[in-house]
Amino acid sequence: MVVSVEVKILENRRFTISTLSNDFPEVSRSVLYKIASEKLNFKKLCSRWVPKLLTEDHRNKRFECSLNFLTRYNEEGDVMVSRIVTGDETWVSYVTPESKQQSMEWRHTHSPVGVKAKQTLSQRKIMASVFWDRHGVLLVDFMQRGTTKMW
C-alpha cells in the first residue's frame, strides 16, 4: 500500500489527501495522511517558496553558490557559517499616538464634555533594513520615504 501511494504522489507532487482518497477509496483519509507524512516523510511546501521564474542561468548560479557554500562548510565547519550575514528590508507604517497622560486637560466640573476624534493610522511609512547573522540581529537601519542609501 505504501509503495502504491508513493507512486501516486510522485505522479503529482501537488496532491491533496482528498485526491489520494479518490484514488484509494478503500483506505481512510487519516491512514493516507499517516502514510504520506510519517512513512514517506513528505512535507507540505508553499509554492510561493519555490522560485518559478528563474532562467536557466539563474538556476545554475544558485546551484553554483549552494555548492560553494556546502564545500566551504565541509572544509571550515561552523567557522564559515559564523561569517555569513544576510539582510532584508520592508516598509513599516508608523504613527505616534498621543498617550492618555498627554491628552488630559484641566476643566471645570461644569465644563461640557469634550469629544475626542477617533485616531486613524497615518500613511507615514519608513523603510526598515535589518541585517543579521547566526547569533542575532547586527543592524537595524531606518530610512525615510523618498531618500536613498547605498550600502
Side-chain angles (χ1 to χ4, degrees):
M1 177 56 76
V2 173
V3 173
S4 58
V5 169
E6 182 176 23
V7 168
K8 202 60 156 167
I9 289 172
L10 293 177
E11 285 176 11
N12 177 15
R13 292 293 184 117
R14 293 184 179 209
F15 73 94
T16 62
I17 299 300
S18 296
T19 58
L20 280 180
S21 67
N22 291 339
D23 295 327
F24 302 98
E26 69 280 0
V27 182
S28 71
R29 294 168 59 93
S30 60
V31 171
L32 286 172
Y33 179 80
K34 284 188 179 190
I35 290 172
S37 63
E38 295 174 11
K39 301 274 188 206
L40 298 174
N41 291 323
F42 279 98
K43 306 278 187 261
K44 285 186 180 181
L45 177 68
C46 181
S47 63
R48 290 184 303 184
W49 302 334
V50 179
K52 295 177 184 169
L53 302 175
L54 295 180
T55 65
E56 191 64 33
D57 291 338
H58 287 125
R59 278 187 240 135
N60 290 338
K61 187 66 175 171
R62 284 174 65 118
F63 179 77
E64 181 183 321
C65 290
S66 299
L67 189 59
N68 184 20
F69 276 127
L70 288 172
T71 304
R72 287 188 58 198
Y73 181 74
N74 192 29
E75 294 169 358
E76 302 173 31
D78 282 346
V79 174
M80 189 279 287
V81 177
S82 296
R83 291 193 297 246
I84 295 176
V85 174
T86 190
D88 197 9
E89 47 189 37
T90 185
W91 284 105
V92 179
S93 297
Y94 69 95
V95 65
T96 50
E98 191 177 51
S99 71
K100 185 175 182 179
Q101 187 68 34
Q102 291 171 327
S103 68
M104 288 183 153
E105 299 176 347
W106 287 99
R107 292 178 176 247
H108 289 286
T109 55
H110 60 280
S111 296
V113 177
V115 177
K116 193 169 184 180
K118 182 179 178 186
Q119 204 170 26
T120 59
L121 290 176
S122 68
Q123 290 298 317
R124 289 180 281 186
K125 291 182 180 178
I126 192 166
M127 174 68 75
S129 301
V130 182
F131 297 91
W132 66 92
D133 65 3
R134 69 185 282 193
H135 301 294
V137 175
L138 300 172
L139 173 72
V140 178
D141 186 52
F142 296 99
M143 185 171 42
Q144 292 292 338
R145 180 182 277 271
T147 60
T148 58
K149 188 178 285 189
M150 296 289 288
W151 292 107

